[in-house]
Amino acid sequence: MLFLDGNTVALATSCTINVSRNMDEASSKDDGSWRTVTPGDASWDISAESLFSPDGEDSAQKQIAFPDLFAALVDGKELEAHFTVAENASSNGLPAEGWMPKAGEGYKGKCYVNASSIAAPKGSAASSSFSFTGNGPLEQVTA
């Protein structure tokens, strides 16, 4: 589950976190026909999808929706991302107090919204998608 500044994305359907490291060229004539590399900069990003919600932040249930994330994109607001499971997960759906991130688990880092979209296909529910680019390290949360 993706938490952004302590809130979950309203009506979320999926979330993916990607971590990668560039490999810098280090080949010389001494290496023959084999390429040699050294580890370069690491980076990370997140993509998230949800059913479209026209409503803004719901502070009681700790959820943010398209208008909030669109504003963060336009304003260039840095967000704290926490990718983890919900402490209060249940099969009964969203708790009245909202989802709570499980302490001591997951991955955290600062990020920016770098893209958003809305899709409204005929005969289906409208959906929204967001992409986030990590700003600095992504750290594993430990107890």
Side-chain angles (χ1 to χ4, degrees), residues 17-21 42-45 138:
I17 189 168
N18 301 295
V19 182
S20 63
R21 178 175 292 281
S43 63
W44 60 279
D45 63 75
L138 179 69

Side-chain angles (χ1 to χ4, degrees), residues 4 7-8 10 20 33 43 45 48 56 60 63 65 68 71 74 76 83 86 117 136 138:
L4 297 166
N7 301 305
T8 57
S20 63
S33 61
S43 63
D45 63 75
Q63 291 200 304
D68 310 305
V74 171
F83 188 81
S117 65
L138 179 69

Side-chain angles (χ1 to χ4, degrees), residues 12 21-22 39-40 44 47 51 60 67-68 74 76 78 88 97 109 112 114 118 120 122 130 140:
R21 178 175 292 281
N22 292 330
W44 60 279
S47 60
L51 297 175
D68 310 305
V74 171
E78 186 178 62
N88 54 344
E97 71 278 9
Y112 291 99
N114 69 299
I118 300 171
K122 179 181 177 186
F130 300 93
Q140 186 170 10

